[in-house]
Amino acid sequence: MKKSLIIGAGGIGLAVAEQLHQQNDHSITLITSNKALASDTRFNVMLVENHSEEQVASCLATLSVKFDQVFCCLGMLHQDQIQPEKNLSQWRVESAMALMQANAFAPMSYLVHLQKRLAPNCKLAFLSARVGSISDNRLGGWYSYRMAKAALNMAIKTASVELARSNKGMCVFAFHPGTTDTKLSKPFQRNVPAEKLFTAQFSAECLIRLMSQVNEKDSGRFFAWDGQEIEW
Ligand SMILES: NC(=O)c1ccc[n+]([C@@H]2O[C@H](COP(=O)([O-])OP(=O)(O)OC[C@H]3O[C@@H](n4cnc5c(N)ncnc54)[C@H](OP(=O)(O)O)[C@@H]3O)[C@@H](O)[C@H]2O)c1
């Protein structure tokens, strides 16, 4: 039985957990701050108050299992007063810090504290976004989200170099799910053609398929939902 860890039970994270559950050959641990999921018997649900490093460390310290695959599906684009910037004058350090925490520092905390909980050939997918690619940036805008995803991308690339030395066989990669109909993208879907707005189920299916195909040679790479590589 494969041991899978899903971090974050938003639109895509929960869809990944549900699809793996249907495969019947997975034991699934789900880490979330969503208390409504606490009694969901399909998964081994571990509640955190938030995804701060302190919470992450104490949550992972209670585990004894070693995971074969990890899907980190945390992220934030907007919240209350925080909205993606259209120009430089809209940038605020407090908002940028919140996006850094959600998109880069929280995933990094899991990566750091998971080290002893990874099986020898473990594969780890971190949900990033194409807008975090520096070479792909043609439209501009969304400073803080882009900065936070670029920081996450650098963490993944750097960890892949270390893991290639210390844990040969492991694969850590970044994944862009495409524009997906979740809370995160809701306010920004107006100009997205219907065929380019994916369901969370479709994005999860793409991610699970890619996870089954990658190996250690793919470590440190950035893939889109269709398996195409994205330049950092
Ligand atoms: N939807 C899209 O169009 C799209 C496009 C490109 C990339 N992505 C990326 O895909 C990933 C999943 O997004 P989604 O569409 O499933 O979004 P979502 O439904 O809003 O879920 C976001 C998840 O992130 C966690 N989260 C929310 N605020 C957080 C914070 N302040 N600090 C740490 N974690 C926080 C939540 O965890 P709890 O389980 O604790 O609630 C939730 O599981 C994200 O990395 C996102 O950037 C999404």
Side-chain angles (χ1 to χ4, degrees):
M1 177 150 300
K2 264 199 187 137
K3 297 185 176 63
S4 298
L5 172 65
I6 293 104
I7 304 161
I12 298 174
L14 189 58
V16 168
E18 287 172 338
Q19 285 184 31
L20 290 179
H21 172 70
Q22 280 164 12
Q23 290 182 6
N24 269 334
D25 58 346
H26 285 260
S27 91
I28 299 161
T29 301
L30 181 62
I31 302 180
T32 180
S33 65
N34 183 353
K35 293 189 179 70
L37 289 166
S39 55
D40 194 323
T41 53
R42 295 173 298 175
F43 319 119
N44 169 29
V45 178
M46 305 186 71
L47 281 183
V48 287
E49 268 168 48
N50 53 49
H51 301 277
S52 66
E53 199 203 357
E54 197 184 1
Q55 288 275 313
V56 171
S58 58
C59 169
L60 295 180
T62 64
L63 284 169
S64 52
V65 63
K66 294 215 173 200
F67 296 105
D68 300 299
Q69 45 186 28
V70 176
F71 301 83
C72 182
C73 304
L74 301 176
M76 185 177 96
L77 171 61
H78 60 93
Q79 189 183 65
D80 306 325
Q81 302 308 309
I82 302 176
Q83 292 299 326
E85 308 90 350
K86 293 191 174 117
N87 51 53
L88 284 168
S89 62
Q90 292 178 349
W91 188 85
R92 298 284 178 277
V93 68
E94 296 79 12
S95 307
M97 291 286 277
L99 289 187
M100 273 291 176
Q101 169 57 32
N103 293 288
F105 299 158
M108 185 67 176
S109 300
Y110 281 100
L111 184 55
V112 168
H113 291 282
L114 266 171
Q115 290 313 298
K116 290 187 183 139
R117 303 271 60 89
L118 304 178
N121 292 327
C122 182
K123 302 178 193 179
L124 303 99
F126 283 82
L127 277 274
S128 182
R130 190 185 290 275
V131 296
S133 160
I134 292 174
S135 47
D136 192 79
N137 187 354
R138 288 171 193 91
L139 286 176
W142 292 22
Y143 283 89
S144 299
Y145 186 65
R146 285 184 188 276
M147 289 164 71
K149 290 299 192 191
L152 170 69
N153 290 350
M154 181 56 90
I156 293 165
K157 179 70 191 177
T158 306
S160 76
V161 174
E162 180 178 337
L163 292 174
R165 295 189 198 114
S166 59
N167 290 290
K168 288 189 186 19
M170 279 197 198
C171 176
V172 55
F173 65 97
F175 180 77
H176 167 64
T179 307
T180 306
D181 184 13
T182 65
K183 187 175 145 230
L184 182 141
S185 69
K186 231 8 148 217
F188 312 99
Q189 294 177 0
R190 210 175 325 128
N191 297 324
V192 181
E195 72 279 8
K196 292 203 169 154
L197 180 63
F198 302 150
T199 62
Q201 290 69 29
F202 176 78
S203 300
E205 203 180 301
C206 294
L207 173 55
I208 291 169
R209 186 182 315 116
L210 185 68
M211 185 65 112
S212 72
Q213 292 167 347
V214 294
N215 59 40
E216 71 272 19
K217 293 194 197 74
D218 299 308
S219 199
R221 297 173 74 183
F222 187 8
F223 295 105
W225 58 276
D226 56 0
Q228 294 290 312
E229 186 156 11
I230 301 173
E231 293 292 316
W232 292 117

